[in-house]
Amino acid sequence: QVQLVESGGGLVQTGGSLRLSCAASGLTFSSYVMGWFRHTPGKERQFVAGITYSGGRTRYADSVKGRFTISRDDAKNTVYLQMNSLRSEDTAVYYCAAGRTYLGTSINDYDVWGQGTQVTVSS
């Protein structure tokens, strides 16, 4: 069974940090581009960050550049999102996703999704 399971969300104050993790199972992890998206009520699911198969290249939404870092550990079948200098507008449910499109930014570029983890940034 193909599965992505996110963890690490929670409540943090403005300016704080969180690290999200996403553990994959049931797929050849190293063959997938991995991405993080986020969703807030009333808005479309938004691309946050992506990382290539080998981890050699990354891509970020403008809103998180310089604050968030995506990384992967293929030995652990896990992708991470380190989030620093958090703002209230970062509050959302964060989803990890696996896909085959090179650093795709559309939800249509990803085939497998996790269940999401809530991140709440309080001011």
Side-chain angles (χ1 to χ4, degrees):
Q1 180 182 0
V2 177
Q3 196 172 15
L4 300 176
V5 179
E6 302 97 335
S7 61
L11 175 65
V12 63
Q13 290 188 331
T14 300
S17 298
L18 281 176
R19 189 176 82 152
L20 305 183
S21 299
C22 172
S25 59
L27 54 78
T28 305
F29 183 75
S30 60
S31 298
Y32 282 82
V33 171
M34 299 301 297
W36 285 96
F37 286 73
R38 64 188 181 188
H39 181 251
T40 54
K43 295 184 178 181
E44 295 184 353
R45 196 169 291 193
Q46 176 191 30
F47 172 79
V48 175
I51 188 166
T52 54
Y53 315 99
S54 63
R57 292 198 66 184
T58 57
R59 189 171 186 176
Y60 297 93
D62 289 342
S63 58
V64 307
K65 279 181 183 176
R67 300 188 298 122
F68 290 11
T69 303
I70 188 171
S71 62
R72 65 190 295 162
D73 185 339
D74 286 356
K76 296 182 178 179
N77 287 358
T78 300
V79 62
Y80 304 96
L81 186 68
Q82 177 67 43
M83 305 186 295
N84 299 329
S85 302
L86 282 162
R87 307 167 180 168
S88 57
E89 55 262 40
D90 295 318
T91 296
V93 177
Y94 283 73
Y95 298 87
C96 74
R100 300 299 188 112
T101 302
Y102 188 79
L103 288 180
T105 62
S106 167
I107 59 174
N108 296 319
D109 294 326
Y110 294 84
D111 309 307
V112 184
W113 293 83
Q115 83 290 347
T117 185
Q118 177 70 48
V119 171
T120 302
V121 184
S122 65
S123 56

